[in-house]
Amino acid sequence: QVQLVESGGGLVQAGGSLRLSCAISGRTFSPYVMGWFRQAPGKEREFVAAIRRSDSNTYYADSVKGRFTISRDNAKNTVYLQMNNLKPGDTAVYYCAAREDSIASYRYAAPNSYDYWGQGTQVTVSS
């Protein structure tokens, strides 16, 4: 069994920063790709960022490019999302996700490409 546990969410003013963490635990597990998604009330879950294990290539939604940075620490089996210059529109529950097997990069943004999900962490940005 694989568990993903997010942490680091909270309330921040517009322009502020937060760093989310996603710790992987359970059986030995080396995901091919890890992703961050978010879901605001009344909206569908949307892609935020992804990072591929083999070469640490990163992928971002246009809405967060230049503000968010995804990274990973393989020794700690943890993935991070550094969020800077936060905006009220970034308010959502943030989820990390993991896929074990290889997949084409154009599918990294699709929630149904991932095998495992965390429980989510709330990020609220006040204006």
Side-chain angles (χ1 to χ4, degrees):
Q1 189 73 348
V2 173
Q3 291 87 38
L4 306 181
V5 179
E6 302 101 334
S7 61
L11 173 64
V12 64
Q13 289 188 331
S17 299
L18 284 174
R19 188 176 83 153
L20 305 183
S21 300
C22 175
I24 307 169
S25 63
R27 64 171 173 85
T28 300
F29 180 61
S30 297
Y32 177 81
V33 61
M34 295 286 298
W36 284 97
F37 290 77
R38 66 187 182 186
Q39 189 166 17
K43 294 187 177 181
E44 294 187 353
R45 191 167 297 190
E46 66 172 358
F47 172 74
V48 175
I51 185 166
R52 187 166 60 205
R53 182 182 182 88
S54 60
D55 53 13
S56 293
N57 269 12
T58 56
Y59 304 81
Y60 296 95
D62 288 342
S63 59
V64 306
K65 278 182 184 175
R67 300 188 298 124
F68 291 11
T69 302
I70 187 171
S71 62
R72 65 189 302 161
D73 184 332
N74 289 338
K76 295 183 178 180
N77 228 10
T78 300
V79 175
Y80 304 96
L81 185 68
Q82 177 67 43
M83 306 185 294
N84 298 328
N85 191 20
L86 282 160
K87 304 175 181 180
D90 295 318
T91 295
V93 177
Y94 284 70
Y95 299 89
C96 70
R99 178 181 173 92
E100 189 160 17
D101 298 326
S102 63
I103 191 173
S105 60
Y106 74 88
R107 294 184 61 186
Y108 293 172
N112 62 11
S113 295
Y114 294 83
D115 306 308
Y116 302 98
W117 290 84
Q119 82 289 350
T121 185
Q122 176 70 46
V123 171
T124 303
V125 184
S126 63
S127 57

mmCIF file with all atom_site columns, all heavy atoms in Angstrom, residues 2 27-33 98-102 113-116:
data_model
loop_
_atom_site.group_PDB
_atom_site.id
_atom_site.type_symbol
_atom_site.label_atom_id
_atom_site.label_alt_id
_atom_site.label_comp_id
_atom_site.label_asym_id
_atom_site.label_entity_id
_atom_site.label_seq_id
_atom_site.pdbx_PDB_ins_code
_atom_site.Cartn_x
_atom_site.Cartn_y
_atom_site.Cartn_z
_atom_site.occupancy
_atom_site.B_iso_or_equiv
_atom_site.pdbx_formal_charge
_atom_site.auth_seq_id
_atom_site.auth_comp_id
_atom_site.auth_asym_id
_atom_site.auth_atom_id
_atom_site.pdbx_PDB_model_num
ATOM 1   N N   . VAL A 1 2   ? 0.444  2.251  -0.711  1.00 0.00 ? 2   VAL A N   1
ATOM 2   C CA  . VAL A 1 2   ? 1.173  3.512  -0.827  1.00 0.00 ? 2   VAL A CA  1
ATOM 3   C C   . VAL A 1 2   ? 0.312  4.626  -0.247  1.00 0.00 ? 2   VAL A C   1
ATOM 4   O O   . VAL A 1 2   ? -0.879 4.709  -0.526  1.00 0.00 ? 2   VAL A O   1
ATOM 5   C CB  . VAL A 1 2   ? 1.501  3.814  -2.300  1.00 0.00 ? 2   VAL A CB  1
ATOM 6   C CG1 . VAL A 1 2   ? 2.113  5.197  -2.436  1.00 0.00 ? 2   VAL A CG1 1
ATOM 7   C CG2 . VAL A 1 2   ? 2.455  2.751  -2.860  1.00 0.00 ? 2   VAL A CG2 1
ATOM 8   N N   . ARG A 1 27  ? 4.863  0.763  0.922   1.00 0.00 ? 27  ARG A N   1
ATOM 9   C CA  . ARG A 1 27  ? 5.779  -0.186 0.280   1.00 0.00 ? 27  ARG A CA  1
ATOM 10  C C   . ARG A 1 27  ? 6.817  0.580  -0.539  1.00 0.00 ? 27  ARG A C   1
ATOM 11  O O   . ARG A 1 27  ? 6.647  1.771  -0.857  1.00 0.00 ? 27  ARG A O   1
ATOM 12  C CB  . ARG A 1 27  ? 5.000  -1.137 -0.629  1.00 0.00 ? 27  ARG A CB  1
ATOM 13  C CG  . ARG A 1 27  ? 4.310  -0.452 -1.796  1.00 0.00 ? 27  ARG A CG  1
ATOM 14  C CD  . ARG A 1 27  ? 3.750  -1.484 -2.752  1.00 0.00 ? 27  ARG A CD  1
ATOM 15  N NE  . ARG A 1 27  ? 2.952  -0.906 -3.804  1.00 0.00 ? 27  ARG A NE  1
ATOM 16  C CZ  . ARG A 1 27  ? 3.441  -0.423 -4.942  1.00 0.00 ? 27  ARG A CZ  1
ATOM 17  N NH1 . ARG A 1 27  ? 4.756  -0.425 -5.140  1.00 0.00 ? 27  ARG A NH1 1
ATOM 18  N NH2 . ARG A 1 27  ? 2.645  0.067  -5.873  1.00 0.00 ? 27  ARG A NH2 1
ATOM 19  N N   . THR A 1 28  ? 7.877  -0.111 -0.886  1.00 0.00 ? 28  THR A N   1
ATOM 20  C CA  . THR A 1 28  ? 8.902  0.503  -1.732  1.00 0.00 ? 28  THR A CA  1
ATOM 21  C C   . THR A 1 28  ? 8.248  0.978  -3.022  1.00 0.00 ? 28  THR A C   1
ATOM 22  O O   . THR A 1 28  ? 7.641  0.202  -3.750  1.00 0.00 ? 28  THR A O   1
ATOM 23  C CB  . THR A 1 28  ? 10.004 -0.515 -2.048  1.00 0.00 ? 28  THR A CB  1
ATOM 24  O OG1 . THR A 1 28  ? 10.593 -0.954 -0.826  1.00 0.00 ? 28  THR A OG1 1
ATOM 25  C CG2 . THR A 1 28  ? 11.068 0.136  -2.922  1.00 0.00 ? 28  THR A CG2 1
ATOM 26  N N   . PHE A 1 29  ? 8.412  2.256  -3.287  1.00 0.00 ? 29  PHE A N   1
ATOM 27  C CA  . PHE A 1 29  ? 7.656  2.859  -4.375  1.00 0.00 ? 29  PHE A CA  1
ATOM 28  C C   . PHE A 1 29  ? 8.480  3.969  -4.996  1.00 0.00 ? 29  PHE A C   1
ATOM 29  O O   . PHE A 1 29  ? 8.883  4.913  -4.308  1.00 0.00 ? 29  PHE A O   1
ATOM 30  C CB  . PHE A 1 29  ? 6.336  3.415  -3.819  1.00 0.00 ? 29  PHE A CB  1
ATOM 31  C CG  . PHE A 1 29  ? 5.462  4.076  -4.837  1.00 0.00 ? 29  PHE A CG  1
ATOM 32  C CD1 . PHE A 1 29  ? 4.963  3.364  -5.924  1.00 0.00 ? 29  PHE A CD1 1
ATOM 33  C CD2 . PHE A 1 29  ? 5.113  5.420  -4.730  1.00 0.00 ? 29  PHE A CD2 1
ATOM 34  C CE1 . PHE A 1 29  ? 4.139  3.965  -6.860  1.00 0.00 ? 29  PHE A CE1 1
ATOM 35  C CE2 . PHE A 1 29  ? 4.292  6.034  -5.665  1.00 0.00 ? 29  PHE A CE2 1
ATOM 36  C CZ  . PHE A 1 29  ? 3.798  5.302  -6.736  1.00 0.00 ? 29  PHE A CZ  1
ATOM 37  N N   . SER A 1 30  ? 8.732  3.852  -6.276  1.00 0.00 ? 30  SER A N   1
ATOM 38  C CA  . SER A 1 30  ? 9.479  4.887  -7.002  1.00 0.00 ? 30  SER A CA  1
ATOM 39  C C   . SER A 1 30  ? 8.607  5.364  -8.158  1.00 0.00 ? 30  SER A C   1
ATOM 40  O O   . SER A 1 30  ? 8.660  4.805  -9.259  1.00 0.00 ? 30  SER A O   1
ATOM 41  C CB  . SER A 1 30  ? 10.799 4.329  -7.531  1.00 0.00 ? 30  SER A CB  1
ATOM 42  O OG  . SER A 1 30  ? 11.628 3.930  -6.459  1.00 0.00 ? 30  SER A OG  1
ATOM 43  N N   . PRO A 1 31  ? 7.800  6.364  -7.932  1.00 0.00 ? 31  PRO A N   1
ATOM 44  C CA  . PRO A 1 31  ? 6.873  6.807  -8.979  1.00 0.00 ? 31  PRO A CA  1
ATOM 45  C C   . PRO A 1 31  ? 7.595  7.359  -10.197 1.00 0.00 ? 31  PRO A C   1
ATOM 46  O O   . PRO A 1 31  ? 8.612  8.042  -10.067 1.00 0.00 ? 31  PRO A O   1
ATOM 47  C CB  . PRO A 1 31  ? 6.046  7.891  -8.284  1.00 0.00 ? 31  PRO A CB  1
ATOM 48  C CG  . PRO A 1 31  ? 6.909  8.363  -7.160  1.00 0.00 ? 31  PRO A CG  1
ATOM 49  C CD  . PRO A 1 31  ? 7.706  7.179  -6.725  1.00 0.00 ? 31  PRO A CD  1
ATOM 50  N N   . TYR A 1 32  ? 7.067  7.092  -11.353 1.00 0.00 ? 32  TYR A N   1
ATOM 51  C CA  . TYR A 1 32  ? 7.623  7.617  -12.595 1.00 0.00 ? 32  TYR A CA  1
ATOM 52  C C   . TYR A 1 32  ? 7.424  9.133  -12.671 1.00 0.00 ? 32  TYR A C   1
ATOM 53  O O   . TYR A 1 32  ? 8.303  9.861  -13.099 1.00 0.00 ? 32  TYR A O   1
ATOM 54  C CB  . TYR A 1 32  ? 6.946  6.940  -13.784 1.00 0.00 ? 32  TYR A CB  1
ATOM 55  C CG  . TYR A 1 32  ? 7.409  7.460  -15.104 1.00 0.00 ? 32  TYR A CG  1
ATOM 56  C CD1 . TYR A 1 32  ? 8.596  7.017  -15.665 1.00 0.00 ? 32  TYR A CD1 1
ATOM 57  C CD2 . TYR A 1 32  ? 6.648  8.399  -15.813 1.00 0.00 ? 32  TYR A CD2 1
ATOM 58  C CE1 . TYR A 1 32  ? 9.027  7.500  -16.885 1.00 0.00 ? 32  TYR A CE1 1
ATOM 59  C CE2 . TYR A 1 32  ? 7.081  8.883  -17.031 1.00 0.00 ? 32  TYR A CE2 1
ATOM 60  C CZ  . TYR A 1 32  ? 8.273  8.433  -17.562 1.00 0.00 ? 32  TYR A CZ  1
ATOM 61  O OH  . TYR A 1 32  ? 8.704  8.909  -18.766 1.00 0.00 ? 32  TYR A OH  1
ATOM 62  N N   . VAL A 1 33  ? 6.265  9.576  -12.228 1.00 0.00 ? 33  VAL A N   1
ATOM 63  C CA  . VAL A 1 33  ? 5.968  11.003 -12.241 1.00 0.00 ? 33  VAL A CA  1
ATOM 64  C C   . VAL A 1 33  ? 5.105  11.353 -11.031 1.00 0.00 ? 33  VAL A C   1
ATOM 65  O O   . VAL A 1 33  ? 4.270  10.547 -10.602 1.00 0.00 ? 33  VAL A O   1
ATOM 66  C CB  . VAL A 1 33  ? 5.272  11.422 -13.561 1.00 0.00 ? 33  VAL A CB  1
ATOM 67  C CG1 . VAL A 1 33  ? 3.951  10.704 -13.742 1.00 0.00 ? 33  VAL A CG1 1
ATOM 68  C CG2 . VAL A 1 33  ? 5.079  12.928 -13.631 1.00 0.00 ? 33  VAL A CG2 1
ATOM 69  N N   . ALA A 1 98  ? 0.624  10.472 -7.637  1.00 0.00 ? 98  ALA A N   1
ATOM 70  C CA  . ALA A 1 98  ? 1.772  9.704  -8.097  1.00 0.00 ? 98  ALA A CA  1
ATOM 71  C C   . ALA A 1 98  ? 1.334  8.648  -9.107  1.00 0.00 ? 98  ALA A C   1
ATOM 72  O O   . ALA A 1 98  ? 0.273  8.033  -8.960  1.00 0.00 ? 98  ALA A O   1
ATOM 73  C CB  . ALA A 1 98  ? 2.462  9.019  -6.922  1.00 0.00 ? 98  ALA A CB  1
ATOM 74  N N   . ARG A 1 99  ? 2.188  8.487  -10.112 1.00 0.00 ? 99  ARG A N   1
ATOM 75  C CA  . ARG A 1 99  ? 1.956  7.420  -11.083 1.00 0.00 ? 99  ARG A CA  1
ATOM 76  C C   . ARG A 1 99  ? 3.199  6.531  -11.098 1.00 0.00 ? 99  ARG A C   1
ATOM 77  O O   . ARG A 1 99  ? 4.325  7.027  -11.188 1.00 0.00 ? 99  ARG A O   1
ATOM 78  C CB  . ARG A 1 99  ? 1.700  7.951  -12.484 1.00 0.00 ? 99  ARG A CB  1
ATOM 79  C CG  . ARG A 1 99  ? 1.508  6.825  -13.492 1.00 0.00 ? 99  ARG A CG  1
ATOM 80  C CD  . ARG A 1 99  ? 1.273  7.303  -14.881 1.00 0.00 ? 99  ARG A CD  1
ATOM 81  N NE  . ARG A 1 99  ? 1.261  6.182  -15.804 1.00 0.00 ? 99  ARG A NE  1
ATOM 82  C CZ  . ARG A 1 99  ? 0.153  5.530  -16.153 1.00 0.00 ? 99  ARG A CZ  1
ATOM 83  N NH1 . ARG A 1 99  ? -1.024 5.901  -15.668 1.00 0.00 ? 99  ARG A NH1 1
ATOM 84  N NH2 . ARG A 1 99  ? 0.225  4.508  -16.981 1.00 0.00 ? 99  ARG A NH2 1
ATOM 85  N N   . GLU A 1 100 ? 2.989  5.223  -11.046 1.00 0.00 ? 100 GLU A N   1
ATOM 86  C CA  . GLU A 1 100 ? 4.113  4.299  -10.923 1.00 0.00 ? 100 GLU A CA  1
ATOM 87  C C   . GLU A 1 100 ? 4.786  4.008  -12.255 1.00 0.00 ? 100 GLU A C   1
ATOM 88  O O   . GLU A 1 100 ? 6.015  3.956  -12.334 1.00 0.00 ? 100 GLU A O   1
ATOM 89  C CB  . GLU A 1 100 ? 3.649  2.985  -10.295 1.00 0.00 ? 100 GLU A CB  1
ATOM 90  C CG  . GLU A 1 100 ? 4.773  2.046  -9.920  1.00 0.00 ? 100 GLU A CG  1
ATOM 91  C CD  . GLU A 1 100 ? 4.328  1.021  -8.905  1.00 0.00 ? 100 GLU A CD  1
ATOM 92  O OE1 . GLU A 1 100 ? 3.106  0.829  -8.737  1.00 0.00 ? 100 GLU A OE1 1
ATOM 93  O OE2 . GLU A 1 100 ? 5.195  0.408  -8.271  1.00 0.00 ? 100 GLU A OE2 1
ATOM 94  N N   . ASP A 1 101 ? 4.017  3.842  -13.302 1.00 0.00 ? 101 ASP A N   1
ATOM 95  C CA  . ASP A 1 101 ? 4.577  3.418  -14.595 1.00 0.00 ? 101 ASP A CA  1
ATOM 96  C C   . ASP A 1 101 ? 4.739  4.600  -15.552 1.00 0.00 ? 101 ASP A C   1
ATOM 97  O O   . ASP A 1 101 ? 4.120  5.640  -15.385 1.00 0.00 ? 101 ASP A O   1
ATOM 98  C CB  . ASP A 1 101 ? 3.668  2.376  -15.234 1.00 0.00 ? 101 ASP A CB  1
ATOM 99  C CG  . ASP A 1 101 ? 3.542  1.124  -14.384 1.00 0.00 ? 101 ASP A CG  1
ATOM 100 O OD1 . ASP A 1 101 ? 4.540  0.772  -13.729 1.00 0.00 ? 101 ASP A OD1 1
ATOM 101 O OD2 . ASP A 1 101 ? 2.448  0.524  -14.365 1.00 0.00 ? 101 ASP A OD2 1
ATOM 102 N N   . SER A 1 102 ? 5.551  4.381  -16.570 1.00 0.00 ? 102 SER A N   1
ATOM 103 C CA  . SER A 1 102 ? 5.812  5.448  -17.529 1.00 0.00 ? 102 SER A CA  1
ATOM 104 C C   . SER A 1 102 ? 4.557  5.810  -18.300 1.00 0.00 ? 102 SER A C   1
ATOM 105 O O   . SER A 1 102 ? 3.655  4.990  -18.492 1.00 0.00 ? 102 SER A O   1
ATOM 106 C CB  . SER A 1 102 ? 6.918  5.028  -18.501 1.00 0.00 ? 102 SER A CB  1
ATOM 107 O OG  . SER A 1 102 ? 6.505  3.913  -19.255 1.00 0.00 ? 102 SER A OG  1
ATOM 108 N N   . SER A 1 113 ? -4.516 10.004 -14.990 1.00 0.00 ? 113 SER A N   1
ATOM 109 C CA  . SER A 1 113 ? -3.229 9.374  -15.296 1.00 0.00 ? 113 SER A CA  1
ATOM 110 C C   . SER A 1 113 ? -2.525 8.873  -14.033 1.00 0.00 ? 113 SER A C   1
ATOM 111 O O   . SER A 1 113 ? -1.526 8.173  -14.132 1.00 0.00 ? 113 SER A O   1
ATOM 112 C CB  . SER A 1 113 ? -2.304 10.361 -16.014 1.00 0.00 ? 113 SER A CB  1
ATOM 113 O OG  . SER A 1 113 ? -2.821 10.717 -17.282 1.00 0.00 ? 113 SER A OG  1
ATOM 114 N N   . TYR A 1 114 ? -3.019 9.230  -12.871 1.00 0.00 ? 114 TYR A N   1
ATOM 115 C CA  . TYR A 1 114 ? -2.320 8.967  -11.614 1.00 0.00 ? 114 TYR A CA  1
ATOM 116 C C   . TYR A 1 114 ? -2.977 7.828  -10.830 1.00 0.00 ? 114 TYR A C   1
ATOM 117 O O   . TYR A 1 114 ? -4.196 7.681  -10.820 1.00 0.00 ? 114 TYR A O   1
ATOM 118 C CB  . TYR A 1 114 ? -2.253 10.242 -10.772 1.00 0.00 ? 114 TYR A CB  1
ATOM 119 C CG  . TYR A 1 114 ? -1.386 11.278 -11.435 1.00 0.00 ? 114 TYR A CG  1
ATOM 120 C CD1 . TYR A 1 114 ? -1.895 12.103 -12.430 1.00 0.00 ? 114 TYR A CD1 1
ATOM 121 C CD2 . TYR A 1 114 ? -0.042 11.412 -11.096 1.00 0.00 ? 114 TYR A CD2 1
ATOM 122 C CE1 . TYR A 1 114 ? -1.089 13.036 -13.070 1.00 0.00 ? 114 TYR A CE1 1
ATOM 123 C CE2 . TYR A 1 114 ? 0.772  12.346 -11.716 1.00 0.00 ? 114 TYR A CE2 1
ATOM 124 C CZ  . TYR A 1 114 ? 0.243  13.156 -12.709 1.00 0.00 ? 114 TYR A CZ  1
ATOM 125 O OH  . TYR A 1 114 ? 1.037  14.070 -13.341 1.00 0.00 ? 114 TYR A OH  1
ATOM 126 N N   . ASP A 1 115 ? -2.121 7.051  -10.144 1.00 0.00 ? 115 ASP A N   1
ATOM 127 C CA  . ASP A 1 115 ? -2.577 5.869  -9.410  1.00 0.00 ? 115 ASP A CA  1
ATOM 128 C C   . ASP A 1 115 ? -2.899 6.169  -7.950  1.00 0.00 ? 115 ASP A C   1
ATOM 129 O O   . ASP A 1 115 ? -3.760 5.512  -7.354  1.00 0.00 ? 115 ASP A O   1
ATOM 130 C CB  . ASP A 1 115 ? -1.485 4.787  -9.433  1.00 0.00 ? 115 ASP A CB  1
ATOM 131 C CG  . ASP A 1 115 ? -1.022 4.457  -10.837 1.00 0.00 ? 115 ASP A CG  1
ATOM 132 O OD1 . ASP A 1 115 ? -1.896 4.178  -11.687 1.00 0.00 ? 115 ASP A OD1 1
ATOM 133 O OD2 . ASP A 1 115 ? 0.193  4.482  -11.090 1.00 0.00 ? 115 ASP A OD2 1
ATOM 134 N N   . TYR A 1 116 ? -2.176 7.101  -7.356  1.00 0.00 ? 116 TYR A N   1
ATOM 135 C CA  . TYR A 1 116 ? -2.315 7.353  -5.926  1.00 0.00 ? 116 TYR A CA  1
ATOM 136 C C   . TYR A 1 116 ? -2.479 8.857  -5.676  1.00 0.00 ? 116 TYR A C   1
ATOM 137 O O   . TYR A 1 116 ? -1.864 9.676  -6.374  1.00 0.00 ? 116 TYR A O   1
ATOM 138 C CB  . TYR A 1 116 ? -1.081 6.856  -5.166  1.00 0.00 ? 116 TYR A CB  1
ATOM 139 C CG  . TYR A 1 116 ? -0.803 5.387  -5.371  1.00 0.00 ? 116 TYR A CG  1
ATOM 140 C CD1 . TYR A 1 116 ? 0.132  4.959  -6.295  1.00 0.00 ? 116 TYR A CD1 1
ATOM 141 C CD2 . TYR A 1 116 ? -1.505 4.422  -4.642  1.00 0.00 ? 116 TYR A CD2 1
ATOM 142 C CE1 . TYR A 1 116 ? 0.381  3.612  -6.498  1.00 0.00 ? 116 TYR A CE1 1
ATOM 143 C CE2 . TYR A 1 116 ? -1.269 3.078  -4.842  1.00 0.00 ? 116 TYR A CE2 1
ATOM 144 C CZ  . TYR A 1 116 ? -0.327 2.682  -5.768  1.00 0.00 ? 116 TYR A CZ  1
ATOM 145 O OH  . TYR A 1 116 ? -0.093 1.353  -5.972  1.00 0.00 ? 116 TYR A OH  1
#
